[in-house]
Amino acid sequence: MNHAPALKIATQLAARAIGGIDAAAAVTRVGRARISEYQNRNSATTAPVDVAIVLDEFAQEPFILQAMAHGLGYHLTPVQLGHGDVAEIMEDVADKANDTVKTTIRVLADGIVTVEEAHKLGHELTKLCRVVDHAMKIVRGLEKAGASK
């Protein structure tokens, strides 16, 4: 499958977030012409990983790296979402959701779900529900209070 179009769009988004092609070229090891080529849908060339990392870093969003991960069947999850109750609980939700997805993929890998596998999946789903329920309580409390933490 050709993932180049998604990478081209992601590179455009990153360059735009930085301030355009010239700004993107100023922060990377490549020049304006290369940045333009990485965005051009008529070119097969895409940004190398080191350039993609720098572009995403300056864009303050993983546009290109997310497209790369998606092309390989993965999804990026932030290591840390920030500080405070909401950030911590949402980080917990992301971690538990990730654990649940990993368990689901392992369970479904052979196309047969055994009783033991169903039990493991049920356990992961229960943990995820518990964390999501806790997150909802925090969010609802903030809504009622009209304050942010």
Side-chain angles (χ1 to χ4, degrees):
M1 180 174 216
N2 184 7
H3 302 290
L7 292 171
K8 300 288 185 177
I9 292 168
T11 304
Q12 289 172 358
L13 292 171
R16 191 174 304 141
I18 294 169
I21 293 175
D22 291 323
V27 299
T28 64
R29 66 174 173 79
V30 298
R32 185 183 202 290
R34 276 284 194 215
I35 297 291
S36 182
E37 189 177 335
Y38 298 153
Q39 297 179 64
N40 184 345
R41 291 182 193 203
N42 294 320
S43 167
T45 305
T46 57
V49 173
D50 67 310
V51 173
I53 289 170
V54 171
L55 290 172
D56 281 352
E57 181 179 32
F58 276 87
Q60 297 181 347
E61 179 126 3
F63 295 111
I64 305 166
L65 297 178
Q66 180 66 42
M68 288 176 176
H70 190 284
L72 293 172
Y74 291 87
H75 181 74
L76 297 181
T77 303
V79 173
Q80 182 150 7
L81 297 171
H83 303 288
D85 292 341
V86 174
E88 288 173 12
I89 194 61
M90 291 312 296
E91 191 172 336
D92 236 358
V93 169
D95 286 344
K96 293 301 178 221
N98 191 37
D99 291 345
T100 304
V101 169
K102 285 193 285 190
T103 299
T104 302
I105 290 168
R106 277 195 305 270
V107 165
L108 298 176
D110 62 357
I112 300 167
V113 180
T114 66
V115 173
E116 182 182 313
E117 290 172 330
H119 177 71
K120 285 180 186 175
L121 185 54
H123 181 69
E124 289 299 326
L125 287 167
T126 299
K127 287 193 299 188
L128 177 58
C129 287
R130 203 174 308 129
V131 172
V132 170
D133 184 54
H134 182 62
M136 287 301 295
K137 287 176 185 171
I138 290 174
V139 170
R140 295 293 181 237
L142 289 171
E143 286 176 342
K144 286 180 185 175
S148 78
K149 286 190 175 187

